[in-house]
Amino acid sequence: MIIDIHGHYTTAPKALEAWRNRQIAGIENPSAMPAASELHISDDELRESIEANQLRLMRERGLDLTVFSPRASFMAHHIGDFEVSSTWAAICNELCYRVSELFPDSFIPAAMLPQSPGVDVATCIPELVKCVEQYGNVAINLNPDPSGGHWTSPPLSDRYWYPIYEKMVEYDVPAMIHVSTSCNACFHTTGAHYLNADTTAFMQCLTSDLFRDFPTLKFVIPHGGGAVPYHWGRFRGLAQELKKPLLKDHLLNNVFFDTCVYHQPGIDLLTRVIPVDNILFASEMIGAVRGIDPETRHYFDDTKRYVEAAHIEPDARYKIYEGNARRVYPRLDAALKAKGR
């Protein structure tokens, strides 16, 4: 079985974006603010948006199940206030849940949180609880920079974040540490901000004792961990200079990396540097990089090709494809076992 732990609803019906544009316009003109009930997307529209896109490619590429969350760049937590983010998150999470209900063998939902800059993160807890208890979500996406590229929030090790961590531990759900759109002109959203954030999140964990307070907390750092595998010696050396334990003892029980790097040398490096128990298969299919690589004539995001070509043992490939996902996402494993999978 091949489990893709990094899928976003990037092909949602256009009505969703149109409603969002009205919501954003309503921030300046409250009389124009739409109600959530004004968004109408039928099951047939959802089916069409999935069958012609994610599901088609999953079948073509031999993928079995995708952990499916709202479009990351659309989270845009820097827009509006908590009420805006709360309404938007609820709408997006419900759509992913509906997709999982329409295609229960192919998709399982993960939640975005209604984060808002400067707002107590405890306000996100009701949405997290709803998504886990009512929608069967198996993970959350946690934005370490809801300001949109200006980094006004405390580091992930700060007690500011602890209410979310406590609930994550209670429900045994991991968080993918995933930023959203950058509104800082210095940082391109997908080419800089995403990768900067991956590296920054890892370093914040390295310099802290967060996992001493939360020994079972689990973070997935996407996009292959940003710069981390490429500079693994630097991080090992920094840990040593900071009098931290060895990385394999300090972080690798709690921090995991996905395979969204989009080229063979990147996967080869990832699988040589990072212990295989800490690598999870992911494609971010129809996401940041959608085109065809002129060198290989295959889609950049056809990640399975890279894993198949990597010089690793069959047991390692099984862990990357399935075993690690079941271990890091216990609710996913429980759901699969309940279905006899």
Side-chain angles (χ1 to χ4, degrees):
M1 184 176 193
I2 298 180
I3 302 170
D4 185 339
I5 57 95
H6 191 167
H8 296 303
Y9 198 0
T10 56
T11 62
K14 293 297 183 182
L16 179 65
E17 184 174 1
W19 187 95
R20 175 62 162 171
N21 289 337
R22 290 178 61 203
Q23 186 193 39
I24 293 171
I27 296 170
E28 296 297 328
N29 180 14
S31 65
M33 180 68 72
S37 59
E38 294 178 44
L39 175 63
H40 301 287
I41 298 176
S42 69
D43 285 354
D44 285 342
E45 290 175 293
L46 293 181
R47 289 190 187 94
E48 182 180 2
S49 72
I50 292 295
E51 288 175 340
N53 296 292
Q54 282 91 351
L55 191 58
R56 174 180 61 83
L57 291 175
M58 286 173 65
R59 289 168 174 166
E60 289 177 3
R61 298 174 186 181
L63 312 184
D64 297 292
L65 181 70
T66 295
V67 178
F68 205 51
S69 63
R71 184 175 176 180
S73 63
F74 264 28
M75 294 190 298
H77 294 119
H78 61 281
I79 294 177
D81 57 14
F82 172 75
E83 186 61 34
V84 168
S85 288
S86 180
T87 302
W88 179 233
I91 286 172
C92 293
N93 287 331
E94 182 183 19
L95 287 180
C96 289
Y97 166 66
R98 287 175 61 192
V99 168
S100 73
E101 289 288 283
L102 292 170
F103 303 97
D105 292 333
S106 300
F107 297 94
I108 195 161
M112 69 177 273
L113 299 181
Q115 296 175 246
S116 189
V119 176
D120 187 345
V121 297
T123 57
C124 297
I125 300 300
E127 182 68 18
L128 191 161
V129 170
K130 179 189 73 177
C131 286
V132 172
E133 294 191 356
Q134 297 181 30
Y135 293 169
N137 281 221
V138 299
I140 63 170
N141 289 344
L142 182 64
N143 185 350
D145 174 38
S147 72
H150 295 287
W151 291 92
T152 58
S153 294
L156 290 169
S157 55
D158 193 270
R159 296 189 69 87
Y160 167 84
W161 300 97
Y162 277 27
I164 290 179
Y165 299 160
E166 289 164 359
K167 192 58 67 171
M168 287 172 57
V169 168
E170 177 186 341
Y171 284 131
D172 207 1
V173 295
M176 179 171 283
I177 306 301
H178 206 311
V179 289
S180 186
T181 302
S182 170
C183 58
N184 183 334
C186 295
F187 304 118
H188 183 275
T189 294
T190 55
H193 187 42
Y194 279 17
L195 306 182
N196 294 345
D198 302 334
T199 309
T200 298
F202 183 83
M203 192 63 193
Q204 289 178 359
C205 293
L206 186 154
T207 56
S208 75
D209 294 316
L210 173 62
F211 300 119
R212 184 180 300 169
D213 288 346
F214 296 97
T216 62
L217 187 69
K218 295 187 285 289
F219 287 163
V220 176
I221 300 183
H223 319 115
V228 174
Y230 187 69
H231 290 284
W232 192 240
R234 175 182 291 261
F235 290 108
R236 288 175 56 240
L238 287 170
Q240 180 173 295
E241 290 183 12
L242 293 168
K243 310 300 181 187
K244 297 294 183 182
L246 297 175
L247 288 186
K248 65 182 179 67
D249 301 321
H250 180 42
L251 294 183
L252 294 186
N253 290 324
N254 306 89
V255 176
F256 305 86
F257 304 82
D258 79 10
T259 57
C260 295
V261 297
Y262 303 139
H263 68 144
Q264 191 64 51
I267 291 293
D268 293 341
L269 173 70
L270 182 69
T271 55
R272 289 179 63 184
V273 172
I274 302 300
V276 70
D277 287 340
N278 292 79
I279 303 173
L280 294 90
F281 179 81
S283 70
E284 197 187 356
M285 193 165 56
I286 318 181
V289 182
R290 305 187 185 193
I292 293 177
D293 185 340
E295 296 179 3
T296 66
R297 299 189 179 181
H298 296 293
Y299 282 95
F300 282 102
D301 62 9
D302 190 356
T303 308
K304 184 187 174 194
R305 290 182 178 274
Y306 311 134
V307 177
E308 287 295 311
H311 296 292
I312 55 178
E313 297 297 321
D315 181 62
R317 195 168 283 109
Y318 163 77
K319 288 182 177 181
I320 292 171
Y321 280 152
E322 177 180 358
N324 292 341
R326 288 179 176 269
R327 178 168 52 87
V328 176
Y329 294 68
R331 285 181 173 268
L332 168 62
D333 183 52
L336 290 172
K337 288 178 177 176
K339 295 178 180 180
R341 299 174 73 183

